[in-house]
Structure formats: C-alpha cells, structure tokens
Amino acid sequence: RIGRTLTAPAENDRRPVKFAFVSCQNANQGAQHAYRRMIFEDEQAAPSERLGFVLHLGDFIYEIVWYPEDRPQGMYDRRLRDIVRYEHGEKIADFHIPTTLDDYRAVY
C-alpha cells in the first residue's frame, strides 16, 4: 500500500485531529490484523473523518522464531508464517534463535 502525506493544519485550525497509535507486531505469528483493520476503516471513512496521522510507539523485533514444521499446531489460534530462517541459528526446544550477525540481519 502506498502511504499518503498530509499538510499539517494551520495553527488556528479548530478541527479535531484524528490519529491512531500502533506498537509491536509479530510477523512470524501473523499478528498484523490491527494494522489491516486500521487501514480498512480509514479507507472506508469519509475524507473529513480519516486519520491525520499514525503514531508508532516503537517495536521489538522478535528474534525467537518458530518454523512451521516445528509447531504444526501454530501458536495460540494463529498459523505460523515461514518468514525467516537462520542459516547458523540454534534450535532450543521447538524454537530457533540467531547466533551470528548474518542471522540477526536476516530477521531485521
């Protein structure tokens, strides 16, 4: 999706500013539903009711990943996505951790 840029309102503009805030997500577990919903609702809103901006509060890169074949039952009620594999990583129980700089680069 291509983003959009809006000019900030004038200093004396009394219209309310609508915004959303977002935080962590876990792509391996498919936890981006809130982003999809936010975009959907914003696209459906009247132009005067659309978000003025989204404030991202920060994120945490989840370096511990589960490979789908190691947890065929998924996590919670989510199917695992095969988004990263560590070439040199270490497997502990049913999850994998990065052990080299190249492994960390793969997840970032």
Side-chain angles (χ1 to χ4, degrees), residues 28 62-67 83-84 86 94-97 107:
N28 184 234
Y62 295 89
E63 60 198 32
I64 294 174
V65 297
W66 289 265
Y67 296 168
I83 59 165
V84 65
Y86 300 130
D94 64 349
F95 61 88
H96 300 259
I97 61 170
V107 76

Side-chain angles (χ1 to χ4, degrees), residues 51-104:
L51 294 172
F53 66 96
V54 176
L55 175 65
H56 199 293
L57 302 177
D59 212 339
F60 179 82
I61 299 296
Y62 295 89
E63 60 198 32
I64 294 174
V65 297
W66 289 265
Y67 296 168
E69 66 271 14
D70 294 330
R71 283 192 68 91
Q73 73 276 23
M75 292 288 286
Y76 309 107
D77 63 342
R78 294 189 173 113
R79 158 179 80 81
L80 291 174
R81 272 62 173 178
D82 196 3
I83 59 165
V84 65
R85 295 216 171 223
Y86 300 130
E87 185 177 350
H88 306 285
E90 182 180 341
K91 183 176 180 182
I92 300 173
D94 64 349
F95 61 88
H96 300 259
I97 61 170
T99 57
T100 66
L101 181 58
D102 284 340
D103 289 345
Y104 276 96

Side-chain angles (χ1 to χ4, degrees), residues 8-14:
E11 196 174 311
N12 60 352
D13 190 335
R14 296 289 179 217

Side-chain angles (χ1 to χ4, degrees), residues 1 33-45:
R1 171 176 140 94
H33 301 302
Y35 289 90
R36 285 189 208 111
R37 184 66 187 203
M38 177 183 63
I39 292 167
F40 172 80
E41 288 182 3
D42 191 52
E43 288 175 340
Q44 300 303 310

